Structures are given as C-alpha cells and as structure tokens.
Amino acid sequence: MEPFLEKFFPKVYTKMKEDTQISNYCKFNSQLLTSFTSSLYVAGFIASFFASSITKAFGRKPSILIGGTAFLAGATLGAAAVNVYMLIFGRILLGVGVGFANQG
C-alpha cells in the first residue's frame, strides 16, 4: 500500500508518515484521493441507466459483453497506469463495466 500511495498520492503518503499518533480514519483532505475512490461508484451508477435501455433494446448478451469489455479495459488501464489520471480513468471504465454487468 505504501508504494502505491507514494507513487500516486504523495501528499497523502507524506501526511500519513507525519501523523503517526492520529488514526488514519478521515484525516486526509485530498480531492484527488476522493475522486479516485468515488469514480468507480459514480460511473457504475450512471452507466446502469444507459445499460438498462441497451439491455431492453438488444438483450442481455450485448449488455454483458459491453460490461465485460469495459471492465477488462479498466483493469488493464489500472494495471498499466503511470499517473493518477490514468488510474482514475481505469476506475471509471471499471465502473462502466460494473454498471453494465449489473443490468445483465
């Protein structure tokens, strides 16, 4: 976990190392970390609305295939991420995959 924080969220990592007496729960004030965390859930929520109409029009199989493809692309992008924006975009694709697969 520490190498991940050090690479993608250096401010959070520095704050974590400085405050050793305080619990890690809710002590970080990082919009970037919040965006990283919530991007998957927001994308899944929004994608489920589009997925429902696609499932209704074309059936479950295309919806599941779109979801699986988006999830695979998001996982690949997350694994190959070199900066935090690639990481967030990968999480958005993961969320799209979850939203579509949920409707299938």
Side-chain angles (χ1 to χ4, degrees), residues 10-94:
K11 290 180 183 177
V12 172
Y13 178 74
T14 303
K15 185 163 176 119
M16 184 181 77
K17 286 298 182 185
E18 288 173 354
D19 297 335
T20 57
Q21 301 298 325
I22 301 172
S23 170
N24 285 336
Y25 183 72
C26 290
K27 78 174 182 181
F28 304 118
N29 186 15
S30 171
Q31 294 294 325
L32 202 56
L33 184 60
T34 303
S35 299
F36 169 75
T37 304
S38 62
S39 60
L40 181 132
Y41 306 113
V42 172
F45 175 70
I46 293 170
S48 66
F49 291 114
F50 295 106
S52 63
S53 58
I54 289 175
T55 302
K56 186 176 181 181
F58 300 106
R60 292 176 60 208
K61 187 174 182 179
S63 180
I64 292 171
L65 287 173
I66 291 170
T69 303
F71 196 87
L72 182 63
T76 304
L77 191 61
V82 293
N83 60 36
V84 72
Y85 301 106
M86 281 180 71
L87 201 61
I88 290 173
F89 188 66
R91 296 267 299 183
I92 289 170
L93 288 175
L94 286 170

